[in-house]
Amino acid sequence: MGKVTGFLEYERIEEGYAPVPQRLKHYKEFVIGLAADQAKVQGARCMDCGTPFCNSGCPVNNVIPDFNDLVYRGDWKNAITVLHSTNNFPEFTGRICPAPCEAACTLNVNDDPVGIKSIEHAIIDRAWEEGFVVPQPPAVKTGRKVAVVGSGPAGLAAAQQLARAGHAVTVFEKNDRVGGLLRYGIPDFKMEKSHIDRRVAQMEAEGVVFRTGVMVGELPKGSKVTNWAKSTVTPDELKAQFDAVLLAGGAEASRDLPVPGRDLDGVHFAMEFLPQQNKVNAGDKLKGQLRADGKHVIVIGGGDTGSDCVGTSNRHGAASVTQFELMPMPPEQEDKPLTWPYWPYKLRTSSSHEEGCQREFAIATKEFVGEKGKLTGLKTVRVEWKNGKMNEVPGSEQVLKADLALLAMGFVSPVATVVQGFGVELDARGNAKAGTDAATGYRTNVDKVFAAGDMRRGQSLVVWAIREGRQAARAVDEFLMGSTSLPR
């Protein structure tokens, strides 16, 4: 694939970034994608390696060597055809996927991997520009009706596949716009929402109906989960009105930090903070927006959500931003002979970190400190890990100044009341219980109710959500029709 000697002749080319002072002034994307000739060079680096581990490293099993070769040869139209054969939304993954495919690249054994993600990004952007992406309405309607609950990547992927199979698909979304956490969780500077809108228009032309602002079931009293619904539908109504129901919502129950002072004004979940900025960016007026202007911000949690809080706080004009991570600082370079072709453990520095952030590792929060009900600081302690157990370091306690603390420690499960409203059993982790093999096929214990994405597997990547949405669509189609031609 690519040029036979390309991996020996060409170096990896990284996508560029706009300068930090420039990009901090706005919320638009700032990644500078590869030009056509640069993408061709990256495609040329793809080895004829015999066993392309990148395929198995990619959750949707993208046929990576094939589209690399097509880009190298300048055949962009067939490149997007190959890419779309496994991935409904490469404009999402080409922007926000961490690229496990690149970790699995054979070149990564002792060299820099092929820039697979940047090639994917270039293919889909070129495809939209050239008009290669068009609606694909079904030739024949089946007369079957399917409800999809949740309009994140799993719900969208399933809805598109089912509509193309000829079913009448209605997607229910509790918030005012389609996209789930793609819309109200990922900052615009990582992925502008026009990419979602463009796909929604395509899917509507394929027959998908979107009902936004509709809460299916109910949230627990006092829930902090984002909910801009204006009407409700009961699970029983959906089961009565549709031939199949697919639960494809997110794992929206945030992990809390129940230490003294948790109820102080100034301590918030990340998912209280991030969706509000997305909504304002969309042109909506929001009373009492949670902002970081002039504040000393501490983000608790070292993952992607925490990084997104860092980038958003810097754009607000925070006085300082510090990010906590409970685990020790990872090595800057992974042990490739030990980890390849699997996802390596190493230090990851995001574009948001580069914009300004103090990172603290092996640190725990003991207490939120405040005055007159308002947060003023965090009492912390250093920790050591021995034999898998965390131990506090004696004498390491200190109080760090903070006006705003954002909890970004991941998500524990979907909202239980929504899942249980359908009578669906939960697994040990609080997710909808449904298997993925041929026998169970994403089915729950409730007749004609299926589950996929984060609601089934727990918090995960967008690319995993797309995979599960596609596979669940196949299972639903087979359930409705007795057989299916949808790809697994």
Side-chain angles (χ1 to χ4, degrees):
M1 295 298 173
K3 187 177 181 181
V4 174
T5 56
F7 72 97
L8 297 172
E9 298 175 29
Y10 306 122
E11 300 294 326
R12 177 182 169 97
I13 303 173
E14 299 284 355
E15 293 182 316
Y17 290 158
V20 170
Q22 178 182 325
R23 70 194 198 223
L24 282 177
K25 296 178 181 178
H26 60 77
Y27 292 88
K28 296 180 180 179
E29 292 178 12
F30 53 81
V31 172
I32 302 169
L34 300 186
D37 58 338
Q38 292 176 316
K40 179 177 180 177
V41 168
Q42 276 304 288
R45 296 184 71 234
C46 187
M47 305 168 66
D48 187 7
C49 58
T51 303
F53 289 94
C54 56
N55 286 9
S56 56
C58 172
V60 291
N61 303 124
N62 278 337
V63 193
I64 293 164
D66 291 43
F67 67 63
N68 283 346
D69 182 61
L70 289 164
V71 168
Y72 166 63
R73 300 179 188 284
D75 190 348
W76 294 89
K77 190 169 186 178
N78 276 321
I80 188 57
T81 299
V82 170
L83 182 51
H84 268 155
S85 70
T86 55
N87 185 354
N88 295 65
F89 312 119
E91 64 269 48
F92 303 163
T93 52
R95 285 170 166 81
I96 60 177
C97 182
C101 56
E102 294 186 12
C105 174
T106 302
L107 259 183
N108 196 43
V109 172
N110 62 355
D111 198 353
D112 292 326
V114 174
I116 300 167
K117 178 179 174 180
S118 61
I119 294 174
E120 180 176 337
H121 187 180
I123 292 171
I124 184 58
D125 282 6
R126 179 73 172 263
W128 281 109
E129 291 170 7
E130 298 289 337
F132 298 153
V133 185
V134 296
Q136 300 177 38
V140 178
K141 295 283 190 178
T142 65
R144 305 292 198 276
K145 298 192 299 181
V146 182
V148 176
V149 180
S151 69
L156 291 178
Q160 185 164 64
Q161 294 295 96
L162 288 165
R164 290 176 176 177
H167 305 303
V169 181
T170 303
V171 178
F172 293 85
E173 168 57 52
K174 70 180 185 302
N175 291 320
D176 56 348
R177 294 179 176 89
V178 173
L181 290 180
L182 288 170
R183 174 79 65 177
Y184 288 125
I186 295 172
D188 289 7
F189 55 79
K190 286 177 67 174
M191 192 187 81
E192 293 178 18
K193 307 318 173 204
S194 58
H195 304 298
I196 304 173
D197 298 335
R198 194 160 51 180
R199 282 296 182 180
V200 169
Q202 180 199 32
M203 292 173 65
E204 287 177 331
E206 293 171 347
V208 178
V209 174
F210 291 94
R211 291 186 59 186
T212 56
V214 180
M215 179 70 207
V216 177
E218 59 183 10
L219 295 175
K221 186 176 181 179
S223 172
K224 297 296 181 68
V225 171
T226 303
N227 178 21
W228 287 304
K230 294 183 178 180
S231 62
T232 59
V233 171
T234 69
D236 287 342
E237 287 174 327
L238 284 194
K239 287 189 286 186
Q241 295 170 13
F242 291 87
D243 299 302
V245 178
L246 174 61
L247 305 181
E252 296 186 276
S254 298
R255 181 173 285 107
D256 208 344
L257 185 58
V259 299
R262 171 63 180 87
D263 58 347
L264 288 170
D265 182 15
V267 183
H268 300 273
F269 287 120
M271 292 310 297
E272 295 176 73
F273 179 68
L274 296 173
Q276 291 185 8
Q277 186 58 56
N278 289 132
K279 197 165 177 63
V280 170
N281 289 348
D284 294 347
K285 294 183 178 179
L286 200 63
K287 290 184 179 179
Q289 182 192 357
L290 181 59
R291 293 188 59 87
D293 311 56
K295 296 179 180 178
H296 296 279
V297 180
I298 293 182
V299 179
I300 302 176
D304 289 340
T305 302
S307 173
D308 293 344
C309 290
V310 170
T312 302
S313 295
N314 280 325
R315 281 162 179 75
H316 283 183
S320 68
V321 182
T322 304
Q323 186 176 22
F324 285 2
E325 170 55 59
L326 189 63
M327 301 302 292
M329 182 176 176
E332 292 191 13
Q333 179 62 51
E334 73 269 34
D335 185 343
K336 288 187 177 182
L338 176 67
T339 61
W340 180 88
Y342 301 107
W343 187 244
Y345 176 66
K346 68 175 183 178
L347 180 66
R348 301 179 190 280
T349 300
S350 72
S351 58
S352 291
H353 293 141
E354 294 170 350
E355 293 165 0
C357 174
Q358 176 67 35
R359 302 173 74 181
E360 299 287 347
F361 294 88
I363 188 169
T365 301
K366 298 268 288 183
E367 181 181 347
F368 297 108
V369 180
E371 294 179 3
K372 298 180 180 180
K374 292 184 178 294
L375 179 72
T376 59
L378 272 65
K379 182 181 288 187
T380 67
V381 65
R382 296 290 172 175
V383 298
E384 291 180 336
W385 291 85
K386 293 181 179 179
N387 300 320
K389 293 184 178 180
M390 184 183 77
N391 301 286
E392 295 184 3
V393 177
S396 65
E397 289 192 3
Q398 60 179 331
V399 175
L400 300 181
K401 181 177 179 58
D403 309 298
L404 177 62
L406 299 172
L407 308 183
M409 302 176 295
F411 304 87
V412 294
S413 67
V415 178
T417 54
V418 175
V419 181
Q420 292 173 326
F422 284 87
V424 170
E425 291 180 9
L426 303 179
D427 65 17
R429 297 185 300 146
N431 303 318
K433 189 175 182 180
T436 60
D437 56 34
T440 52
Y442 292 86
R443 295 191 190 192
T444 70
N445 61 298
V446 179
D447 183 44
K448 74 180 183 181
V449 177
F450 297 73
D454 286 7
M455 189 167 274
R456 190 205 68 83
R457 66 179 287 117
Q459 175 192 358
S460 192
L461 303 175
V462 166
V463 67
W464 271 108
I466 293 173
R467 171 195 172 104
E468 294 228 340
R470 288 173 61 90
Q471 291 189 343
R474 176 183 170 87
V476 171
D477 186 41
E478 187 171 22
F479 166 75
L480 294 173
M481 307 303 294
S483 62
T484 181
S485 59
L486 288 176
R488 182 171 169 83

